[in-house]
């Protein structure tokens, strides 16, 4: 769980062997966000990410949910599950 502000003027990579969640009031600020999870990711804070890069999920997930409070571009977001 991301429970506080996470700020970088570069790429932030979240590689977690389980589910990724974000607490209310927390935000990710980064030029690019990438990563992987093993049981889904719910990143629905007032994030400020310029580019959503590759993000994969390897488990029986509930999917990927992302909220951005600014304009967002995307690059390859990883393979889709059938």
């Amino acid at each position: 769980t991301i429970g506080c502000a996470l700020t970088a003027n570069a790429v932030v990579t979240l590689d977690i062997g389980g589910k990724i969640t974000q607490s209310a009031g927390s935000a990710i600020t980064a030029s690019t966000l990438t990563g992987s999870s093993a049981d889904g990711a719910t990143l629905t804070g007032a994030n400020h990410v310029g580019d959503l890069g590759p993000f994969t999920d390897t488990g029986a997930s509930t999917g990927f949910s992302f909220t951005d409070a600014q304009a967002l571009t995307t690059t390859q977001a990883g393979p889709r599950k059938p």
Side-chain angles (χ1 to χ4, degrees):
T1 298
I2 299 168
C4 61
L6 175 60
T7 303
N9 291 324
V11 176
V12 169
T13 301
L14 303 174
D15 287 322
I16 307 298
K19 184 176 182 107
I20 302 172
T21 60
Q22 187 173 21
S23 298
S26 66
I28 300 168
T29 302
S31 59
T32 302
L33 176 66
T34 67
S36 65
S37 65
D39 198 18
T42 304
L43 303 170
T44 54
N47 300 303
H48 293 274
V49 173
D51 181 54
L52 180 59
F55 211 103
T56 58
D57 179 56
T58 59
S61 85
T62 55
F64 179 81
S65 179
F66 180 76
T67 300
D68 203 28
Q70 69 177 34
L72 176 72
T73 60
T74 58
T75 55
Q76 179 185 1
R80 298 177 118 186
K81 290 192 155 234

